[in-house]
């Protein structure tokens, strides 16, 4: 009722301002997540200033910005985004179309003003605002990262832990993100149906192209779509191995999601961040440790324990490099591997092959059927007695 006084005018008017600004942003087709971030920023500024919007001054912005940079250590882009949220909120309050100036004059005898100007806000002077210490992986670092991801699968499975399927998922997931140049959300939102053939790249089979449906969107627009061509010869095998041999053993495998979670139908962004950080740190520590141990045998020495030693001391050859060498001498790795497995399943029961190679029972049974084997009625279990 317009004629009645407000019980708590400060709080009620501020909440009405925030709600109106939220409605304006949603009307502009901005995502709810972005709108929520903007609202939290404005509320944080109000708490720091210990004042309501009609009491804000440029000095409040100066003190808040100094605290964000000097005390909380915010990077340049984060500070600029925070200041931009406060500027947009003040633009909304000072717009005559929404009547907040008259409303504040009626209740408080003053009105909001713009407090974020060009002279007290961070400027967007450069497109690349990343810190100089942040850089891309070098090729040896990339190989060490992928090697550690592969070794993590063997380590977890060797301990008999049930988490080896998610560990196996991480390795092809990160390799696919690198192979196609994908962002985090673009990677996690992939489905089985996003792969297709490329008429100009028949050697890649069903994995010649990838349709990215959740690209980074502009404000107020849906996610961008783009198609990415497969360029690495090891990519189809990596994806096919995950889809046909490992993914069927995970929960929610009946859906079309490519990268399944341990408990849900799709892996989350936070999970990707934590696994990437863990692998990156572990690979860096292992690499630094090996390089610091000068007495360890180098890969090229005869004392190396690996049949196919790699470039790094004490490490086997990277699977990608091995595939490249096999192709150079005329051995197709994927077809050769498939032929070897089909020959193997003709000589032993499917459950035995599944246990020996770490395959799912359904995958091993399918391979037996494709090879024309006769072990389909073999009962699984311990047959040593």
């Amino acid at each position: 009722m317009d004629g009645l006084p407000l019980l708590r005018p400060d709080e009620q008017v501020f909440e009405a301002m925030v709600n109106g600004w939220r409605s304006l942003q949603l009307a502009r087709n901005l995502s709810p997540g972005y709108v929520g971030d903007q609202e939290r920023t404005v509320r944080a500024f109000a708490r720091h200033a210990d004042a309501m919007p009609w009491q804000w001054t440029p000095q409040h912005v100066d003190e808040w910005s100094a605290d964000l940079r000097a005390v909380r250590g915010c990077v340049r882009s984060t500070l600029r985004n925070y200041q931009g949220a406060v500027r947009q909120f003040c633009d909304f309050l000072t717009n005559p179309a929404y009547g907040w100036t008259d409303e504040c004059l009626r209740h408080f005898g003053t009105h909001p003003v713009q407090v974020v100007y060009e002279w007290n806000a961070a400027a967007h002077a450069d497109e690349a605002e990343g810190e100089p210490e942040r850089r891309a992986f070098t090729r040896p670092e990339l190989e060490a990262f992928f090697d550690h991801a592969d070794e993590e699968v063997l380590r977890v499975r060797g301990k008999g832990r049930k988490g080896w399927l998610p560990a196996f998922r991480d390795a092809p997931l990160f390799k696919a993100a690198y192979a196609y140049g994908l962002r985090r959300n673009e990677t996690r939102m992939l489905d089985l149906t996003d792969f297709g053939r490329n008429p100009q790249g028949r050697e890649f089979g069903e994995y010649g192209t990838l349709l990215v449906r959740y690209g980074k969107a502009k404000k107020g627009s849906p996610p961008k779509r783009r198609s990415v061509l497969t360029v690495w010869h090891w990519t189809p095998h990596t994806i096919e191995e995950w889809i046909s041999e490992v993914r069927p053993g995970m929960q929610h495998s009946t859906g079309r999601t490519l990268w399944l979670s341990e408990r849900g139908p799709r892996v989350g962004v936070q999970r990707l961040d934590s696994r990437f950080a863990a692998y990156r740190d572990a690979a860096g520590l292992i690499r630094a440790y090996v390089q610091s141990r000068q007495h360890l045998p180098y890969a090229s020495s005869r004392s190396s324990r690996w049949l196919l030693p790699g470039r790094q001391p004490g490490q086997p050859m990277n699977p990608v490099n091995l595939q490249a060498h096999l192709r150079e001498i005329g051995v197709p790795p994927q077809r050769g591997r498939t032929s070897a497995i089909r020959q193997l399943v003709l000589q032993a029961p499917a459950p035995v092959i599944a246990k020996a190679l770490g395959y799912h029972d359904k995958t091993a049974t399918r391979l037996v059927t494709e090879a024309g084997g006769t072990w389909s009625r073999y009962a699984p279990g311990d047959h040593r007695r």
Side-chain angles (χ1 to χ4, degrees), residues 18-19 21-26 30-44 47 82 85 88:
V18 173
N19 292 335
W21 189 45
R22 182 192 305 118
S23 300
L24 169 63
Q25 294 180 92
L26 293 175
L30 301 179
S31 68
Y34 175 81
V35 174
D37 291 341
Q38 296 284 89
E39 179 181 336
R40 282 188 290 272
T41 300
V42 168
R43 292 185 183 274
R47 287 193 299 268
Y82 286 173
Q88 293 176 34

Side-chain angles (χ1 to χ4, degrees), residues 318-332:
N318 185 282
V320 176
N321 295 335
L322 177 59
Q323 290 184 2
H325 289 308
L326 290 175
R327 289 192 183 91
E328 289 177 0
I329 62 176
V331 178

Side-chain angles (χ1 to χ4, degrees), residues 8 24 35 50 111 139 181 218 243 351:
R8 295 184 300 274
L24 169 63
V35 174
D50 194 21
H111 60 86
R139 184 165 183 174
K218 294 183 178 180
I243 293 177

Side-chain angles (χ1 to χ4, degrees), residues 110 120 161 196 258 334:
T110 184
N120 71 337
R161 295 168 55 184
L258 179 60
Q334 186 171 0

Side-chain angles (χ1 to χ4, degrees), residues 224-358:
K224 288 184 178 180
R225 293 192 177 207
R226 71 177 189 276
S227 293
V228 186
L229 300 180
T230 303
V231 296
W232 302 104
H233 288 280
W234 49 264
T235 306
H237 165 70
T238 301
I239 303 298
E240 173 64 24
E241 184 179 31
W242 160 251
I243 293 177
S244 62
E245 300 175 9
V246 183
R247 184 182 176 279
M250 295 195 69
Q251 191 179 8
H252 306 288
S253 61
T254 55
R256 64 180 186 179
T257 302
L258 179 60
W259 308 116
L260 302 172
S261 173
E262 299 89 321
R263 300 178 180 85
R266 194 181 298 275
V267 67
V269 173
Q270 292 183 348
R271 179 64 176 174
L272 288 183
D273 289 345
S274 62
R275 298 309 300 160
F276 179 85
Y279 286 5
R280 177 200 61 201
D281 296 343
L285 291 175
I286 293 173
R287 182 178 177 83
Y289 172 76
V290 172
Q291 291 180 343
S292 66
R293 297 284 300 277
Q294 299 297 328
H295 62 279
L296 288 179
Y298 279 83
S300 59
S301 70
R302 296 182 179 181
S303 59
S304 176
R305 65 187 181 92
W306 299 105
L307 175 64
L308 299 172
R311 298 178 180 177
Q312 298 302 318
Q315 295 295 323
M317 180 179 291
N318 185 282
V320 176
N321 295 335
L322 177 59
Q323 290 184 2
H325 289 308
L326 290 175
R327 289 192 183 91
E328 289 177 0
I329 62 176
V331 178
Q334 186 171 0
R335 290 198 295 269
R337 175 178 176 276
T338 302
S339 300
I341 292 176
R342 290 186 175 179
Q343 185 64 31
L344 183 62
V345 297
L346 294 176
Q347 303 175 18
V352 176
I353 299 301
K355 186 175 182 180
L357 300 181

